[in-house]
Amino acid sequence: TEFALDTRDLTIKKAFVDGVEADFSLAEPDEIFGSKLAIPLLGSRQKGSKAQVSVHYSTSPKSTACAWLPPPQTAGKKKPFMFSQCQAIHARSLLPCQDCPRAKCT
């Protein structure tokens, strides 16, 4: 059994399952969808059981979820402005997550 997350242009440093450092694999990147992060859930787990999963990672300047407006395009015209837009599948460039519209509906 594995826990799968979507990533794009992230550096994955470590993964933990229930507080214990775990192995992980990162699939070859797809130009649009990024890479699948797979974290094995070791031991026997029953359907519906819970696990605490933590991932240590860093983002990249290539993040497709963040953009900057230069100072001339801002209200005060003195400082840049950063904004984020995580739809439809851009959240995966900020953090490892299940980044499909169905998983993000509230």
Side-chain angles (χ1 to χ4, degrees):
T1 304
E2 71 177 18
F3 184 62
L5 297 169
D6 300 312
T7 72
R8 183 169 181 197
D9 296 321
L10 300 179
T11 300
I12 308 300
K13 299 171 184 174
K14 293 180 182 181
F16 296 85
V17 177
D18 296 326
V20 177
E21 191 164 354
D23 291 329
F24 63 88
S25 62
L26 205 55
E28 287 295 318
D30 177 88
E31 185 179 334
I32 295 170
F33 297 110
S35 302
K36 172 186 170 183
L37 171 61
I39 304 167
L41 300 176
L42 301 177
S44 60
R45 296 202 180 258
Q46 295 181 0
K47 185 177 181 178
S49 65
K50 296 182 181 184
Q52 182 177 356
V53 177
S54 301
V55 179
H56 294 208
Y57 68 95
S58 60
T59 59
S60 161
K62 294 187 214 175
S63 174
T64 57
C66 295
W68 289 89
L69 292 178
Q73 292 182 330
T74 66
K77 310 253 187 255
K78 295 182 181 180
K79 296 182 180 181
F81 178 79
M82 192 279 296
F83 65 95
S84 62
Q85 182 171 340
C86 292
Q87 60 186 19
I89 59 167
H90 295 287
R92 66 187 69 197
S93 70
L94 289 178
L95 69 154
C97 62
Q98 293 179 333
D99 192 23
C100 64
R102 182 177 182 191
K104 294 191 284 188
C105 288
T106 57

